[in-house]
Amino acid sequence: SAHRHLNRPMTASCTVVVPCFNEAQRLDPAHLDKLIESADVRILAVDDGSTDTTAALLDNLAGDDPDRISVLALGTNRGKGEAGRLGLLDAIAGGAELVAYCDADFATPPGEVARLVAALRSDAGIDGVLGSRVAMMGCDIERSAFRHYAGRLFATAGSLVLGVPVYDTQCGAKAFRVTNRLRQALATPFASRWAFDIELLGRLLQPRRAAATEATGRFIELPLRHWSEPGGSRMTARAGLRAGVDLLRIGRALRRAD
């Protein structure tokens, strides 16, 4: 077995970005350990100006495992989209070949995030893998009916803005191959604070932004086997309304970029 291990191809290095804002009560360190172990990744926790004990918690975790966990402290609250964008840029600057992000509450469990990374590693022709919450046989997707239908409505609107059929735009787990196109898509702040996932996809999928030699890349959705609605989620009706307004803003920004 030692011999086989020596000949194993090097897996592409991956950094998973976890934006954190006041997550001291919800962030379970065991989830980070499990993700590191199951996906062979580094974790970059982005402290988005937390006002609780999140910063101390993250510093302790990074101190215990400095090779695998690092912290980017933003100082002031910039919103999840900007925290994610700055985290991804930091991961790329650190030499990651693949990057991913997921929510600090791990509504998408570590094993499922690992599946997204594995799918990206196993096929060099794929540039992005998006977790998708499809309620079908054999899958354990726990979501309230209200959030399911609100999510369907939003994803349909998102698909129209993007011009591609995406079943689930808002699942908080996505993985991307580091390309010049991804660097370009992350180069400027998002117009949207609430629907940045769609804005990032829109930038990646825009054919006219690409140099003539560079295709827009291949993106796939991977149905999740497990997902559970987190307690204490910040997704309220008001946030949903703001996300809807953001969609209109994203549509405008993408048309301008064309």
Side-chain angles (χ1 to χ4, degrees):
S1 91
H3 178 69
R4 200 163 55 242
H5 182 73
L6 285 175
N7 290 335
R8 198 176 63 183
M10 283 288 290
T11 52
S13 66
C14 177
T15 298
V16 180
V17 173
V18 184
C20 300
F21 174 65
N22 290 354
E23 300 291 355
Q25 299 304 312
R26 299 202 301 175
L27 180 64
D28 181 352
H31 284 145
L32 298 184
D33 291 339
K34 186 163 184 215
L35 179 56
I36 288 167
E37 204 173 296
S38 58
D40 188 19
V41 293
R42 295 189 75 243
I43 288 176
L44 174 62
V46 182
D47 178 23
D48 187 20
S50 297
T51 54
D52 64 356
T53 55
T54 297
L57 171 67
L58 295 179
D59 285 344
N60 285 340
L61 290 172
D64 289 343
D65 193 356
D67 291 338
R68 290 291 190 157
I69 300 176
S70 51
V71 180
L72 175 64
L74 299 185
T76 56
N77 180 247
R78 312 281 284 273
K80 190 171 169 186
E82 187 63 358
R85 185 182 78 88
L86 293 172
L88 290 169
L89 285 172
D90 196 78
I92 292 169
E97 297 162 275
L98 311 176
V99 289
Y101 60 84
C102 65
D103 295 331
D105 56 27
F106 282 93
T108 304
E112 293 295 280
V113 179
R115 283 179 64 225
L116 301 186
V117 174
L120 198 54
R121 278 185 176 137
S122 68
D123 185 345
I126 294 174
D127 287 320
V129 183
L130 324 176
S132 189
R133 296 163 296 186
V134 186
M136 57 188 184
M137 288 175 79
C139 295
D140 176 23
I141 307 294
E142 295 172 30
R143 240 179 147 185
S144 70
F146 168 75
R147 286 193 54 160
H148 171 75
Y149 290 112
R152 296 300 327 115
L153 197 65
F154 191 79
T156 302
S159 287
L160 291 172
V161 167
L162 293 173
V164 291
V166 184
Y167 181 83
D168 187 358
T169 52
Q170 291 312 103
C171 174
K174 295 181 172 60
F176 299 100
R177 191 172 306 283
V178 175
T179 59
N180 286 335
R181 195 168 176 75
L182 179 65
R183 287 188 181 92
Q184 200 180 346
L186 294 167
T188 50
F190 298 119
S192 157
R193 193 176 167 102
W194 295 90
F196 70 93
D197 299 79
I198 292 181
E199 192 168 358
L200 175 57
L201 279 180
R203 291 179 181 188
L204 286 167
L205 292 167
Q206 263 189 326
R208 292 183 204 150
R209 282 192 165 215
T213 54
E214 192 183 20
T216 55
R218 254 180 76 213
F219 298 88
I220 62 165
E221 284 189 273
L222 188 72
L224 298 176
R225 291 178 192 150
H226 305 280
W227 188 89
S228 57
E229 196 159 21
S233 169
R234 300 189 178 94
M235 188 62 194
T236 59
R238 186 196 285 173
L241 195 62
R242 276 191 290 231
V245 172
D246 271 0
L247 267 188
L248 298 174
R249 194 180 289 151
I250 291 165
R252 269 205 310 273
L254 292 176
R255 280 195 302 277
R256 266 204 307 276
D258 270 355

